[in-house]
Amino acid sequence: MKVYRVPDYKTMSRLAANILSAQIISKPDSVLGLATGSTPEGTYAKLVQWYNNGDLDFSKIVTVNLDEYRGLSGDHNQSYKYFMHKHLFDKVNIDPANTYLPNGLAEDPQEEGKRYDRLIEDLGGVDIQLLGMGHNGHIGFNEPGTPFDIGTHCVDLHETTIQANQRFFDTYEDVPKQAYSMGIKTIMNARKILILVNGEDKAEILKKAFYGPVTPEVPASILQTHKDVILIADDAAMSKV
Ligand code: F6R
């Protein structure tokens, strides 16, 4: 594992965008595995800036996202597809037909998981997977206790997550109760993994995930066993190491 300790979120985002840019330039038809959440927002903003400067071409790039809420259509403003369009896809010259996320409206959740893993395989696998990490060490929606050997699957969201999301929806009934997520197995199949962690609130879990034992109780700890992982973390997130 290669670790970059950087002073702040801005530096983390620029370095992550540098690494993704190198991938895009050296292999213009790369398959990028992407994440949502507040962690990668700054990285996407940098990529957009460099695209606007004429330094990046996304025309042959293919993307597969880590996760999506079950029950939401792609144009719902809380869907991850919407997030990706807002922060990246609508701002660069990527072909929307080359951007993939799990289908939140799929009828058969088991079939959807299998379809998504087959799709990734048919695309030739992920060249570089971008990840953030949750406060409990989750990656994607793989919460503590999730076995390491499963592919894309449908996850029951914790009641606390459902309640936290309630503010974005009119009624409790509208709040997604499930989500699709690449499994740890899917994530570990990526040829390269780039994980970003920032903020003091993630210092404790960063120490457990990358400097503690590998255990399903800390899903991100599995990354210690991947042959090509880059961790970029800011001083605040590294403060307990
Ligand atoms: C997002 C995802 C999640 C987030 C994690 C951290 O697609 O799969 O695992 O990466 O919850 O979220 P933020 O970046 O908002 O702290």
Side-chain angles (χ1 to χ4, degrees), residues 34-41 65-68 80 130-136 138-142 181 196 198 201-202:
L34 299 179
T36 57
S38 52
T39 308
E41 274 185 31
N65 262 79
L66 272 174
D67 38 22
E68 179 59 285
Y80 286 174
L130 179 63
L131 295 176
M133 177 173 70
H135 292 100
N136 58 5
H138 74 217
I139 45 177
F141 270 112
N142 297 288
S181 178
L196 312 181
N198 68 284
D201 52 325
K202 290 194 179 155

Coordinates of all heavy atoms in Angstrom, one line a residue, residues 34-41 65-68 80 130-136 138-142 181 196 198 201-202, ligand 1:
L34 N -16.1 4.6 -9.8 CA -16.3 5.9 -9.2 C -17.2 5.8 -7.9 O -17.9 4.8 -7.7 CB -16.9 6.9 -10.1 CG -16.1 7.2 -11.4 CD1 -16.8 8.2 -12.3 CD2 -14.7 7.7 -11.0
A35 N -17.0 6.8 -7.1 CA -17.8 6.8 -5.8 C -18.5 8.2 -5.7 O -18.2 9.1 -6.4 CB -16.8 6.7 -4.6
T36 N -19.5 8.2 -4.8 CA -20.2 9.4 -4.6 C -19.8 9.9 -3.1 O -18.9 9.4 -2.6 CB -21.7 9.2 -4.7 OG1 -22.1 8.2 -3.8 CG2 -22.1 8.9 -6.1
G37 N -20.6 10.8 -2.6 CA -20.2 11.3 -1.2 C -19.4 12.6 -1.3 O -19.0 13.0 -2.3
S38 N -19.2 13.1 -0.1 CA -18.5 14.4 0.0 C -17.0 14.3 -0.3 O -16.3 15.2 -0.8 CB -18.7 15.1 1.3 OG -18.5 14.3 2.3
T39 N -16.4 13.1 0.0 CA -15.0 12.9 -0.2 C -14.5 13.2 -1.6 O -13.5 14.0 -1.8 CB -14.5 11.5 0.3 OG1 -15.1 11.3 1.6 CG2 -13.0 11.3 0.3
P40 N -15.1 12.6 -2.6 CA -14.6 12.8 -4.0 C -15.0 14.0 -4.7 O -14.6 14.3 -5.8 CB -15.0 11.5 -4.7 CG -16.3 11.1 -4.1 CD -16.2 11.6 -2.7
E41 N -15.9 14.8 -4.1 CA -16.4 16.0 -4.8 C -15.3 16.9 -5.3 O -15.3 17.4 -6.4 CB -17.3 16.8 -3.9 CG -18.8 16.3 -3.9 CD -19.7 17.2 -3.1 OE1 -19.4 18.4 -3.0 OE2 -20.7 16.7 -2.6
N65 N -20.1 2.9 -11.3 CA -20.2 3.4 -10.0 C -20.3 2.3 -9.0 O -20.8 1.2 -9.3 CB -21.3 4.5 -9.8 CG -20.8 5.9 -9.9 OD1 -20.5 6.4 -11.0 ND2 -20.6 6.5 -8.8
L66 N -19.9 2.6 -7.8 CA -20.0 1.6 -6.7 C -21.4 1.3 -6.2 O -21.6 0.1 -5.9 CB -19.4 2.3 -5.4 CG -17.9 2.3 -5.1 CD1 -17.6 3.1 -3.9 CD2 -17.5 0.8 -4.9
D67 N -22.3 2.2 -6.2 CA -23.6 1.9 -5.6 C -24.7 2.9 -6.1 O -24.4 3.9 -6.8 CB -23.4 2.0 -4.1 CG -22.5 3.1 -3.6 OD1 -22.3 4.1 -4.3 OD2 -22.0 3.0 -2.4
E68 N -25.9 2.5 -5.7 CA -27.1 3.2 -6.1 C -28.2 2.8 -5.1 O -28.3 1.6 -4.7 CB -27.5 3.0 -7.5 CG -28.7 3.7 -8.0 CD -28.7 5.2 -7.9 OE1 -28.8 5.7 -6.8 OE2 -28.5 5.9 -9.0
Y80 N -27.7 8.4 -6.9 CA -26.2 8.6 -7.1 C -26.0 8.9 -8.6 O -25.0 9.5 -8.9 CB -25.5 7.3 -6.7 CG -25.4 7.2 -5.1 CD1 -24.9 6.1 -4.5 CD2 -25.8 8.3 -4.3 CE1 -24.8 6.0 -3.1 CE2 -25.8 8.2 -2.9 CZ -25.2 7.0 -2.4 OH -25.1 6.9 -1.0
L130 N -12.0 4.4 -7.4 CA -11.9 5.4 -6.4 C -12.9 5.1 -5.3 O -14.0 4.7 -5.5 CB -12.4 6.7 -7.1 CG -12.4 8.0 -6.3 CD1 -11.0 8.4 -5.8 CD2 -13.0 9.2 -7.1
L131 N -12.4 5.3 -4.1 CA -13.2 5.0 -2.9 C -13.1 6.1 -1.8 O -12.1 6.7 -1.7 CB -12.7 3.7 -2.2 CG -12.8 2.3 -2.9 CD1 -12.1 1.3 -2.0 CD2 -14.2 2.0 -3.2
G132 N -14.2 6.2 -1.1 CA -14.2 7.0 0.2 C -14.4 5.9 1.2 O -14.6 4.7 0.9
M133 N -14.4 6.3 2.5 CA -14.7 5.3 3.6 C -15.6 5.9 4.6 O -15.5 7.1 5.0 CB -13.3 5.0 4.2 CG -13.5 4.0 5.4 SD -11.9 3.5 6.0 CE -11.2 4.9 6.8
G134 N -16.6 5.1 5.0 CA -17.5 5.6 6.1 C -16.9 5.6 7.5 O -15.8 5.0 7.7
H135 N -17.6 6.2 8.4 CA -17.0 6.3 9.8 C -16.9 4.9 10.5 O -16.2 4.8 11.4 CB -17.9 7.2 10.6 CG -17.8 8.6 10.2 ND1 -18.8 9.2 9.4 CD2 -16.9 9.6 10.4 CE1 -18.4 10.5 9.2 NE2 -17.3 10.7 9.8
N136 N -17.6 3.9 9.9 CA -17.5 2.6 10.5 C -16.6 1.7 9.7 O -16.6 0.5 9.8 CB -18.9 2.0 10.7 CG -19.6 1.9 9.4 OD1 -19.1 2.2 8.3 ND2 -20.9 1.4 9.5
H138 N -16.9 1.4 6.4 CA -17.6 0.8 5.2 C -17.0 1.3 3.9 O -16.5 2.5 3.8 CB -19.1 0.9 5.2 CG -19.6 2.3 5.0 ND1 -20.7 2.8 5.7 CD2 -19.3 3.3 4.1 CE1 -21.0 4.0 5.2 NE2 -20.1 4.3 4.3
I139 N -17.0 0.5 2.9 CA -16.7 0.9 1.5 C -17.8 0.5 0.6 O -18.3 -0.6 0.8 CB -15.3 0.4 1.0 CG1 -15.1 -1.1 1.3 CG2 -14.1 1.2 1.6 CD1 -13.8 -1.7 0.8
G140 N -18.2 1.4 -0.3 CA -19.5 1.1 -0.9 C -20.6 1.1 0.2 O -20.5 1.9 1.1
F141 N -21.5 0.2 0.1 CA -22.5 0.0 1.2 C -22.2 -1.3 1.9 O -23.0 -1.9 2.5 CB -23.9 0.0 0.6 CG -24.6 1.3 0.5 CD1 -24.9 1.8 -0.7 CD2 -25.0 2.0 1.7 CE1 -25.5 3.1 -0.8 CE2 -25.6 3.2 1.6 CZ -25.9 3.8 0.3
N142 N -20.9 -1.7 1.9 CA -20.5 -2.9 2.6 C -20.2 -2.5 4.1 O -19.2 -2.0 4.4 CB -19.3 -3.5 2.0 CG -19.5 -3.9 0.5 OD1 -20.2 -4.9 0.3 ND2 -19.1 -3.2 -0.4
S181 N -24.9 -2.3 -4.0 CA -23.5 -2.0 -3.8 C -22.6 -3.1 -4.4 O -22.9 -4.2 -4.3 CB -23.2 -1.9 -2.3 OG -21.8 -1.6 -2.1
L196 N -9.5 7.7 -0.6 CA -9.3 9.0 0.0 C -10.0 9.1 1.3 O -11.1 8.6 1.5 CB -10.0 10.0 -0.9 CG -9.7 10.0 -2.4 CD1 -10.4 11.1 -3.2 CD2 -8.2 10.0 -2.7
N198 N -10.4 11.9 4.6 CA -10.1 13.2 5.2 C -10.9 13.5 6.4 O -12.0 12.9 6.6 CB -10.3 14.4 4.1 CG -11.8 14.5 3.8 OD1 -12.4 13.7 3.1 ND2 -12.4 15.6 4.4
D201 N -12.7 13.3 12.1 CA -13.7 12.4 12.5 C -13.5 11.0 11.9 O -14.1 10.0 12.3 CB -15.1 12.9 12.0 CG -15.2 13.3 10.6 OD1 -14.2 13.9 10.1 OD2 -16.2 13.1 9.9
K202 N -12.5 10.9 10.9 CA -12.2 9.6 10.4 C -10.9 9.1 10.8 O -10.4 8.0 10.4 CB -12.3 9.6 8.9 CG -13.8 9.8 8.4 CD -13.9 9.5 6.9 CE -15.4 9.6 6.5 NZ -15.6 9.9 5.1
Ligands
F6R1 C1 -20.2 6.4 -1.9 C2 -19.9 5.2 -1.0 C3 -19.7 5.4 0.4 C4 -18.9 6.7 0.8 C5 -18.7 6.8 2.3 C6 -18.0 8.1 2.7 O1 -20.4 5.9 -3.2 O2 -19.9 4.2 -1.5 O3 -19.0 4.3 0.9 O4 -17.7 6.7 0.1 O5 -19.9 6.7 3.0 O6 -18.9 9.1 2.5 P1 -18.4 10.6 2.5 O7 -17.4 10.8 1.4 O8 -19.7 11.4 2.3 O9 -17.8 10.8 3.8

